Amino acid sequence: MYRFLLSCLFSILFIGNINAQKSRDHLSAGFGLGMIYADNAGIYKYMQFKTLPAFSVAYSKELSNKIDLRTSIGGQILNSGEFRPLNTPIVVEWGNNGQAYYFKGNAFFLDVMPIIHLNPNKAGQAGEPVNYYIGLGVGGLYSQRAQRVLRDGVIENGIFVQGFVERSNQTTATAYFPFKMGISTNLEYEWDLAFEINVMTMMGSEIDGNTMTNKLLNPDVLVNFQVMLRRYLRR
């Protein structure tokens, strides 16, 4: 009888250990490059825009075989670039409306989203060599920037002849909707690598200091690609 009870106890502990080893709960840290889709941040039809560093750290909690809940915090360096000189008519138009033609700064973000695994590993079977996943959530962003606005600009025969540049420091806080696509290795050890594309669509068009729509979509959008290093917590 005692042997039977001891056998049951060890079996329960062993099964619990197996389940723990298969947990997807993990911490991750990532670094990569990003760009901003904004009114004054590039000439997109000619693929002219700045790409600058982006980073994030995240915690993911497994909720079911296919779904995790992920919380991320991170930042991205922003710079509109100087793709339009002062003798450009649209720069004068922006200035007449108090809108920035140039800015640089940083954005910091925090978001929460469910992650859906498209080919999750199944208990008792060999794991997939790579796992694919997507996610959609909600978040908040805070940005700080140094911006420039052209005041009283005058252009004659394509030459800038009059005006002055007003410089200021501004901040913006806004909500956004993050969308994520990723692929991760499945080494079945404590560490994995993931490669992610993150698209953060703002609720407005203010983080560049310019709200005069000069692009196909009205909201400003941050996009970045990051390489993520994962550390599992219960394997």
Side-chain angles (χ1 to χ4, degrees), residues 78-205:
L78 307 178
N79 191 317
S80 65
E82 299 187 70
F83 298 104
R84 293 183 174 88
L86 295 180
N87 64 344
T88 306
I90 195 171
V91 172
V92 175
E93 181 183 357
W94 286 339
N96 291 338
N97 289 275
Q99 305 296 301
Y101 70 91
Y102 171 83
F103 78 99
K104 65 177 179 179
N106 304 288
F108 303 96
F109 51 86
L110 170 67
D111 58 55
V112 178
M113 68 170 64
I115 296 290
I116 301 175
H117 292 264
L118 303 179
N119 62 334
N121 298 328
K122 297 179 180 179
Q125 298 183 16
E128 301 285 346
V130 294
N131 295 123
Y132 305 96
Y133 55 92
I134 58 174
L136 178 66
V138 64
L141 177 143
Y142 174 81
S143 68
Q144 48 189 196
R145 65 186 181 277
Q147 68 178 36
R148 302 175 193 169
V149 177
L150 176 63
R151 296 291 189 179
D152 302 327
V154 176
I155 299 173
E156 293 182 357
N157 298 321
I159 300 174
F160 177 74
V161 297
Q162 180 179 316
F164 67 96
V165 175
E166 178 183 272
R167 302 169 186 262
S168 64
N169 295 318
Q170 304 290 334
T171 61
T172 299
T174 184
Y176 69 93
F177 298 104
F179 172 73
K180 187 181 305 292
M181 295 188 299
I183 178 173
S184 70
T185 60
N186 184 30
L187 303 178
E188 298 186 351
Y189 293 106
E190 294 180 340
W191 298 89
D192 268 323
L193 281 176
F195 306 88
E196 296 183 353
I197 296 176
N198 305 288
V199 180
M200 296 175 281
T201 303
M202 306 298 124
M203 288 290 290
S205 183

